[in-house]
Amino acid sequence: MTSPAPRFLVIGECVADVVRVDGAPDRVHPGGSPANVAYGLARLGRSAMLLTQLGDDAHGRLIRGHLEAAGVTVRADAVERTPSAVVELDGDGRAQYAFDIGWTLASAELPFVPGHLHLGSIAAVTAPGAAAVLELVEQWQGRAGVSYDPNVRPALMGERAEAVRRVERCVALSEVVKASDEDLAWLYPGEGPESVARHWLALGPAVVAVTRGAAGAFALTADGTREEVAAVPVPVADTVGAGDSFMAAFLHTRAAGAPLSACLTHAVTAAALTVSRPGANPPSAAELATALAR
């Protein structure tokens, strides 16, 4: 008997996050924004496959084991070494990244009909692999839901105007888009996040959500709805993976048919649980339910 097709197909990079804090030994956490989203979806009980690249090395084995333990199906092209990032944390737990990464994903035929495709971060805009990602998205657009999180990494984005062009192409292919206010500030200096969100809506998405850290999050829809929620206050261990947990919980809740306000509430709660503990460690369905019940 064949296993059921994954509901969510996530396309993008895995990264070994080498977390560095003054006075403490390095800690290695499985990471990469798309990988974190796939992991977060699986932790919430969704069937998820990750189309990615991994090396046959210690970092690659760590990441694969981490993902598969949560129930993610991993389909990975082999590369010489698994991408990595040195993550330096400031006194407030905010992360700065220095990357050793490439993205060369080849075009691929999918072994199933996806219900939803999620793309984001480095893999969506980095040549040559981004071409294969966009080819898949264009193939399935209109037949599957599509979501996108630019998760901007300035050191890897190149010249700003070209980065905006690549990001906006992904936005235009997507039904749901999520970005942080920091992403938007880098892409569109001097423009307010709500102004950018409305600009993106005009490109085609049904929903644009914007996270604002301790200020919470808001979302706009193509039909004129606006919802905003406050952040959930928690002691911050670090901010690694917070946006990815937000994205996973938002998609999970939206797939269940919940209203926009509930999607945002679930998402900010999942993000709060993630920042309260080290690394990209999104909540399980039971943890999220318990936190929401409080």
Side-chain angles (χ1 to χ4, degrees), residues 228-255:
E228 183 170 357
V229 296
V232 178
V234 292
V236 176
D238 65 51
T239 62
V240 177
D244 305 322
S245 292
F246 179 102
M247 184 87 253
F250 190 96
L251 293 176
H252 163 71
T253 311
R254 192 170 191 271

Side-chain angles (χ1 to χ4, degrees), residues 46-217:
R46 293 287 173 180
S47 183
M49 173 181 276
L50 178 67
L51 181 59
T52 190
Q53 298 181 152
L54 284 172
D56 183 15
D57 51 26
H59 286 164
R61 290 187 287 275
L62 172 69
I63 292 171
R64 183 184 286 275
H66 168 77
L67 292 166
E68 291 180 345
V72 178
T73 301
V74 180
R75 184 178 179 187
D77 283 358
V79 290
E80 183 177 347
R81 66 181 183 276
T82 299
S84 63
V86 174
V87 186
E88 295 194 359
L89 303 176
D90 66 15
D92 296 320
R94 290 189 295 265
Q96 298 292 328
Y97 296 81
F99 291 95
D100 177 13
I101 187 169
W103 180 249
T104 58
L105 186 76
S107 60
E109 292 296 323
L110 300 184
F112 58 88
V113 176
H116 187 99
L117 281 74
H118 176 74
L119 65 153
S121 198
I122 297 162
V125 296
T126 302
V133 175
L134 295 179
E135 180 182 340
L136 279 173
V137 173
E138 288 168 346
Q139 176 185 347
W140 290 100
Q141 188 188 27
R143 294 185 287 164
V146 179
S147 55
Y148 172 57
D149 176 3
N151 193 45
V152 169
R153 301 303 184 207
L156 301 175
M157 296 297 284
E159 195 271 327
R160 193 189 313 270
E162 176 59 20
V164 170
R165 186 194 68 79
R166 295 195 303 266
V167 166
E168 289 189 352
R169 182 181 179 192
C170 295
V171 169
L173 289 169
S174 303
E175 174 192 2
V176 177
V177 179
K178 170 261 170 189
S180 71
D181 53 359
E182 292 179 346
D183 293 336
L184 301 184
W186 187 86
L187 290 166
Y188 305 92
E191 293 191 41
E194 190 153 340
S195 173
V196 177
R198 294 190 185 281
H199 168 62
W200 280 5
L201 279 177
L203 299 177
V207 180
V208 174
V210 179
T211 60
R212 299 184 293 171

